[in-house]
Structure formats: structure tokens, C-alpha cells
Amino acid sequence: MGILEKIAEIEREIARTQKNKATEYHLGLLKAKLAKYRSQLLEPTKKGEKGEGFDVLKSGDARVALIGFPSVGKSTMLSTLTKTESEAANYEFTTLTCIPGVIEYQGANIQLLDLPGIIEGAAQGKGRGRQVIAVARTADLVLMMLDATKPNVHRELLERELESVGIRLNKRKPNIYFKQKKGGGLSFNSTCTLTRCSEKMVQMILHSFKIFNAEVLFREDCTEDEFIDVVTANRVYLPCLYVYNKIDQISIEEVDRLARQPNSIVVSCNMKLNLDYMLEALWEALQLIRVYTKKPGAPPDFDDGLILRKGVSVEHVCHAIHRTLAAQFKYALVWGTSTKYSPQRVGIAHVMGDEDVIQVVKK
């Protein structure tokens, strides 16, 4: 019995088991087994055997993966936003490999990957699905292209495919501390009241992973699924934007309904509608900021800014300028939104804001 059959068997068992107090431990065990088999499916079995993917060199300040069913307008989107031409036609599976393009927006280079269409069962390797999903795991953000003229089941199907290979969309990492130990059994603690998972459940899940000595601390009320995610430790938490294309073919009420859903954007690639707002939302979701540098006695260099992530400190800025700069750092002068007055003299731990200007003074 292969892994795929085992997974199908467990899924059937979960579907036909009623959910109540008596069966919750049985269901928890099944979910743990399912997670174990799925992670085996993702990782190559033999040592030294390299998983095949679309080898695309990571470049630019951020990486965005375009995912969607065949023929929803991914290639048109790539050709419209970037200088790269991706073949677009009226039949499915026009794109067969990964085509990279670069969006130049507010001084940042954002790498956009046009991936082949995903079909149902992609997680099991249908239609090059596994390579597509392997690339999606390395991205900083997922742009899910959906056809506004088709029913919303597509979104659920895609979410389920990505969920089954350990990509969690628009979710935080569960606040659970977990560490395997050499001996001493299981020590379990929680800093809040647990209503969705018990110590017995945690013990059973760990036993099914053949872990008998560990330290577990729940800092928030998590479900058993989230605990399994922490134990398997190969989950990727990515922000996701749902982009509904072809809005020129539906009624304005339907466009309004779609646009009001969380993390959703409505566009039309053919008529170039709302693409500027989509780039704005992309910038926000990637949490990028621009920091400009200034030499003493000279005006700031606004042409060549540093593109960094939100929440970076002056130390990160120093590393971005030159790797030896942080060691010679004395203090910095900062103009901008992150200071109380301009210029403010700050230390190495000061957190930068968007469009700040910095002048570093060395020892």
C-alpha cells in the first residue's frame, strides 16, 4: 500500500467519523498520521535524490508567486505588470514551466513568478503540481489568481491543496514552545486555559510521532491541528492576496461583493483596471519600507534607496550598506516618521520607518 493510498484511506476514515467527545482522541491520532504521511510525500525518499523543481534564482527585494487554475489570466498579468512576455492563449496549460518577471515599484524590484496552472490533486503530484507548490513555498507572498466569472469553489480547492502541503495562508505561527529532549518524559504546561486541546491529546499526538521526551508550553489556546504543525516543523506561513480577474465580464454588484471580502482585490488584466491598487496592496502585504542614506554636508540620495522589511533597526540598515559598518558604528542621525524630532541622534537598536533618511557616523 503506497503513501497515496494510505493518505486517501485516512481521509476517508476522518470523513466518516463523527466528531464528539468520545472520538476526539481518535481523530487527533488520524490527523497526526495524515500530517506524517503528507510530509513523507513532500520530502524525497532516498538520500541524495534531489527533488525536482523549477530552478529560478531568487532575485530582487521580494518574491511573489502567482498561483491559480489554468486559464485565469496569470500570464496576462505577468506580461502587463513586467517587461517579460509570457505566452497567453485561450486554452488551458499555455504556461508549462516557471516564468520569472520583475515588477519595478517605488524603487523596489519585486520578482513575480508565473507558475503553471494548478489542478485538483496537485499536492499528490498531478500536472506538475508538486514543483509548482515547491516554488510557492520559497515565495514571500502568494498572489492567488481567481476567475471572477467562475464559482468560489476554486478558491477553497486551491486553499485545500496548499494547506495539504504545509502552506498556511494569512495565518500566524501558533504560539507554542516545543522542544525534544533526551530523557525525562513529557513536561506539559500552559499559560492559559485550554479549551480546544488537552494534555492527553498532546501526549497521544507525540506518541504517534514516536516522541516520548519533550517539553511543551502552550502560550495560547490552540487546536490539535496547530500543535501538529508545530511538531512537524515544516510549515510555511505566507501572506496571500486573492486577485479576482475578468471583472469586466460580471455585474457591478458582484464586483462590489468580491471587493469587500478580506484580502481580496478585483482587477481586469485585459482592460488594465485596478492594477495600480493591486500593486499598492502588494507593497503593503510584503511589508516593505524605503530607507534613504545621506552623506555629511550633502543632500539625501533619493534616487537609490535601500529596500528593507518593516520593523528593521539601524543595525540592519548598516549591514545593508556594508557588512563592516555595524562594527564601526558610533551613532546615527535620522530624519523621518520614526523620530520625535528631525534630525534625532539614535543608537543601533532604533527601529526605522518608511522613507526615513539616515546618516551614519563612524567611530
Side-chain angles (χ1 to χ4, degrees):
M1 198 179 189
I3 291 182
L4 287 174
E5 287 87 53
K6 284 179 183 171
I7 288 176
E9 181 58 46
I10 291 174
E11 278 173 343
R12 278 199 297 275
E13 173 80 11
I14 288 175
R16 65 170 176 256
T17 307
Q18 274 187 330
K19 198 172 189 302
N20 54 39
K21 268 255 167 60
T23 61
E24 66 179 355
Y25 296 116
H26 175 58
L27 276 171
L29 271 179
L30 288 176
K31 283 176 183 170
K33 266 189 194 161
L34 190 60
K36 209 158 105 187
Y37 286 138
R38 278 186 176 152
S39 58
Q40 276 176 18
L41 194 66
L42 277 182
E43 287 153 15
T45 40
K46 297 187 199 84
K47 280 228 165 80
E49 180 190 308
K50 200 166 178 290
E52 52 174 325
F54 303 120
D55 295 325
V56 176
L57 194 66
K58 201 166 183 174
S59 71
D61 302 297
R63 187 179 214 181
V64 175
L66 264 177
I67 281 186
F69 276 96
S71 227
V72 290
K74 296 187 294 297
S75 299
T76 317
M77 165 85 84
L78 185 86
S79 307
T80 314
L81 293 178
T82 69
K83 291 174 185 155
T84 313
E85 284 299 316
S86 181
E87 195 186 334
N90 281 339
Y91 52 88
E92 299 192 338
F93 293 107
T94 321
T95 310
L96 294 173
T97 63
C98 175
I99 297 169
V102 175
I103 305 172
E104 289 168 5
Y105 183 69
Q106 297 197 4
N109 291 334
I110 300 168
Q111 188 182 34
L112 187 66
L113 301 178
D114 178 19
L115 297 168
I118 280 188
I119 51 173
E120 207 177 335
Q124 280 83 43
K126 278 189 196 165
R128 305 203 79 176
R130 222 178 287 170
Q131 287 99 307
V132 173
I133 285 165
V135 173
R137 284 177 76 96
T138 65
D140 299 308
L141 178 129
V142 172
L143 260 193
M144 197 181 279
M145 288 288 283
L146 299 157
D147 193 335
T149 58
K150 302 232 172 94
N152 215 12
V153 284
H154 279 188
R155 177 169 164 172
E156 287 149 30
L157 276 173
L158 280 172
E159 280 175 346
R160 207 166 343 153
E161 289 296 332
L162 294 177
E163 192 95 352
S164 67
V165 292
I167 295 176
R168 302 282 177 265
L169 300 176
N170 296 328
K171 280 186 188 167
R172 276 189 316 111
K173 207 172 175 183
N175 197 352
I176 300 172
Y177 170 76
F178 169 74
K179 189 183 179 188
Q180 263 182 276
K181 294 190 299 190
K182 290 278 190 293
L186 175 71
S187 91
F188 178 86
N189 253 321
S190 65
T191 56
C192 58
T193 341
L194 298 182
T195 56
R196 303 192 282 179
C197 189
S198 63
E199 185 175 350
K200 188 181 169 192
M201 175 73 88
V202 166
Q203 206 169 355
M204 285 174 75
I205 288 169
L206 288 175
H207 280 198
S208 73
F209 279 101
K210 296 192 169 55
I211 297 171
F212 303 101
N213 305 303
E215 205 176 321
V216 179
L217 170 65
F218 274 69
R219 293 200 183 94
E220 61 183 4
D221 191 9
C222 295
T223 59
E224 67 262 31
D225 292 329
E226 289 173 321
F227 178 65
I228 292 169
D229 284 354
V230 171
V231 177
T232 46
N234 59 358
R235 304 294 188 241
V236 187
Y237 296 87
L238 294 176
C240 174
L241 289 178
Y242 303 98
V243 179
Y244 288 92
N245 189 18
K246 307 184 186 177
I247 55 165
D248 46 310
Q249 298 173 21
I250 56 172
S251 67
I252 191 76
E253 291 80 25
E254 184 64 10
V255 171
D256 190 56
R257 188 186 67 79
L258 290 174
R260 287 179 192 281
Q261 291 179 4
N263 303 314
S264 298
I265 300 161
V266 289
V267 299
S268 167
C269 288
N270 271 346
M271 295 177 74
K272 297 188 173 47
L273 299 176
N274 210 22
L275 291 175
D276 48 349
Y277 173 68
M278 193 199 79
L279 286 175
E280 251 174 72
L282 196 63
W283 178 269
E284 279 299 309
L286 284 169
Q287 297 197 322
L288 296 172
I289 61 168
R290 289 152 295 175
V291 175
Y292 300 109
T293 52
K294 174 186 177 311
K295 288 178 180 163
D301 180 10
F302 285 122
D303 298 330
D304 192 19
L306 299 169
I307 306 291
L308 301 158
R309 291 292 157 103
K310 213 171 260 179
V312 294
S313 65
V314 174
E315 189 176 1
H316 293 102
V317 177
C318 290
H319 282 300
I321 298 168
H322 196 269
R323 58 197 163 87
T324 60
L325 190 58
Q328 303 167 336
F329 179 87
K330 189 177 179 189
Y331 66 89
L333 294 172
V334 176
W335 291 256
T337 50
S338 66
T339 57
K340 288 177 184 163
Y341 46 86
S342 294
Q344 184 176 329
R345 184 174 162 163
V346 298
I348 202 155
H350 174 78
V351 176
M352 304 295 288
D354 190 19
E355 294 199 275
D356 275 4
V357 173
I358 184 169
Q359 177 185 321
V360 177
V361 179
K362 295 200 286 189
K363 282 175 188 162

